[in-house]
Amino acid sequence: SAINLLVNQGLGPESILPENHQLRVVLERKLSSPLISILSPPNPPEIQFAALRVVNLLLQTFPRLFQSSEIGVFFCSYNDPQYVKLEKLEIIGKIVNDGCIERIIPELAEYAKDVDSEIVKEAIKILSQCAQSLSRWTRTILAVFAELLETNLPIILQEVTINLIPMIRCSSNPEDCKHEIFPLIESFYFSDLEAFWRSLHGGQEAAQAAFIWLLGEFTNENYLLSSEDISRNFSFFSNFILSKDDFPLEGIQFQRQALHAALKLFISNVNHEMSLRMAQEAVE
């Protein structure tokens, strides 16, 4: 209630203070300190969660409320309840910037190996968001993804696959981003397509659709210079994705993405000998 009063009367649009009043600057600079004290032990998790919710709401209006040096207060402790951890992660995603991302990436990499699947999902999503908003850290984040993929844990494989796509789509320069991501695709996806597909199949439909999107996006001469590699990907797509026995049983998202990828593969490799045959299979 005290924070609400200060914000409404000191910083909000209906504040009694003039726009350029010095007290506004003082309030915005000092408002974080009492919130940090509430977030710290020995306050119980319920009190911390209430304060975190206030912080989360304040950040929507005052994104610079917390300094880079204060980011550590939002790092998760091993004994934090799940609801506190998730709230902290959401806040980290909102306040991350160039001044603190170097500290945040290792923390998120640890959270991505948590036993709680919800924590894993949120950590990987925030890593992807960091790459989107701070593109010069993309390679560092891709190195973290490579380390995570080596664990071969289904939930990690699925979430990394899903979150690679917004990194490409939201990049200011999608083509450069694709070339940065391709070594990861080649090492972990294209090196053994069948094994990776078996790891994803039976899991989230969104992860399977994302994998199909990556397959259609990167199977062309701009990335795979070898005709044998392209043929291998075509064969996999035809035998596993467009399988006449399984395809009608798949979900709408899967089917739509498969047909879209088939068209993209045909257009990107129109001169390849297997391209027309696979396009005909997709039509059938």
Side-chain angles (χ1 to χ4, degrees):
S1 297
I3 296 294
N4 186 36
L5 177 65
L6 287 171
V7 169
N8 287 335
Q9 299 302 323
L11 298 172
E14 299 179 0
S15 170
I16 59 176
L17 298 175
E19 187 67 33
N20 58 349
H21 198 283
Q22 187 179 3
L23 188 54
R24 281 178 173 267
V25 180
V26 174
L27 278 174
E28 188 165 354
R29 189 173 68 247
K30 293 191 173 183
L31 205 56
S32 61
S33 298
L35 288 168
I36 288 174
S37 66
I38 298 173
L39 290 171
S40 307
N43 286 317
E46 294 81 3
I47 299 297
Q48 293 182 43
F49 178 74
L52 287 167
R53 289 297 299 158
V54 171
V55 169
N56 211 337
L57 293 170
L58 284 172
L59 287 171
Q60 296 177 21
T61 308
F62 310 106
R64 296 186 300 274
L65 187 62
F66 290 88
Q67 304 297 319
S68 298
S69 58
E70 299 169 328
I71 190 70
V73 73
F74 300 111
F75 290 167
C76 300
S77 301
Y78 73 94
N79 57 348
D80 281 340
Q82 185 200 59
Y83 60 89
V84 170
K85 288 182 178 180
L86 290 173
E87 200 67 30
K88 285 183 176 180
L89 284 170
E90 189 174 341
I91 291 171
I92 287 174
K94 288 181 177 178
I95 63 178
V96 61
N97 56 44
D98 269 318
C100 59
I101 190 171
E102 196 167 1
R103 292 179 62 197
I104 286 175
I105 289 176
E107 284 291 321
L108 292 173
E110 285 301 313
Y111 304 154
K113 300 173 186 175
D114 200 275
V115 295
D116 188 324
S117 62
E118 292 302 315
I119 304 297
V120 172
K121 290 178 182 180
E122 192 67 19
I124 292 174
K125 184 179 79 172
I126 294 171
L127 281 167
S128 175
Q129 290 172 352
C130 290
Q132 295 165 42
S133 58
L134 303 166
S135 57
R136 72 187 188 92
W137 290 92
T138 298
R139 290 186 181 180
T140 305
I141 291 168
L142 288 173
V144 172
F145 282 171
E147 182 183 339
L148 293 173
L149 288 170
E150 287 177 351
T151 64
N152 282 320
L153 294 173
I155 183 64
I156 290 179
L157 299 182
Q158 292 175 35
E159 291 304 315
V160 170
T161 303
I162 291 170
N163 284 283
L164 283 175
I165 296 177
M167 286 176 62
I168 296 171
R169 286 178 169 167
C170 299
S171 172
S172 57
N173 194 329
E175 285 305 317
D176 286 350
C177 186
K178 287 179 190 176
H179 283 283
E180 285 188 341
I181 289 177
F182 179 68
L184 182 75
I185 302 296
E186 187 177 34
S187 300
F188 290 95
Y189 292 79
F190 291 173
S191 60
D192 194 343
L193 285 165
E194 294 182 22
F196 207 96
W197 180 246
R198 283 193 295 269
S199 300
L200 292 179
H201 207 54
Q204 299 180 63
E205 185 182 359
Q208 297 170 41
F211 175 79
I212 294 169
W213 188 91
L214 293 171
L215 187 64
E217 192 70 27
F218 287 97
T219 302
N220 61 66
E221 293 181 354
N222 291 331
Y223 308 101
L224 298 174
L225 301 179
S226 166
S227 179
E228 290 77 11
D229 288 338
I230 295 177
S231 297
R232 176 203 62 199
N233 286 16
F234 269 112
S235 296
F236 169 82
F237 197 93
S238 179
N239 296 331
F240 288 86
I241 308 300
L242 296 179
S243 169
K244 291 183 179 180
D245 295 330
D246 298 333
F247 187 80
L249 304 176
E250 301 292 353
I252 294 298
Q253 186 180 7
F254 179 105
Q255 293 182 4
R256 184 186 295 117
Q257 191 60 66
L259 295 175
H260 183 268
L263 178 62
K264 187 180 293 184
L265 286 168
F266 174 70
I267 293 172
S268 302
N269 304 278
V270 68
N271 295 322
H272 195 277
E273 57 185 12
M274 297 181 67
S275 175
L276 181 59
R277 180 167 62 83
M278 196 207 66
Q280 290 172 339
E281 289 178 3
V283 171
E284 292 171 4

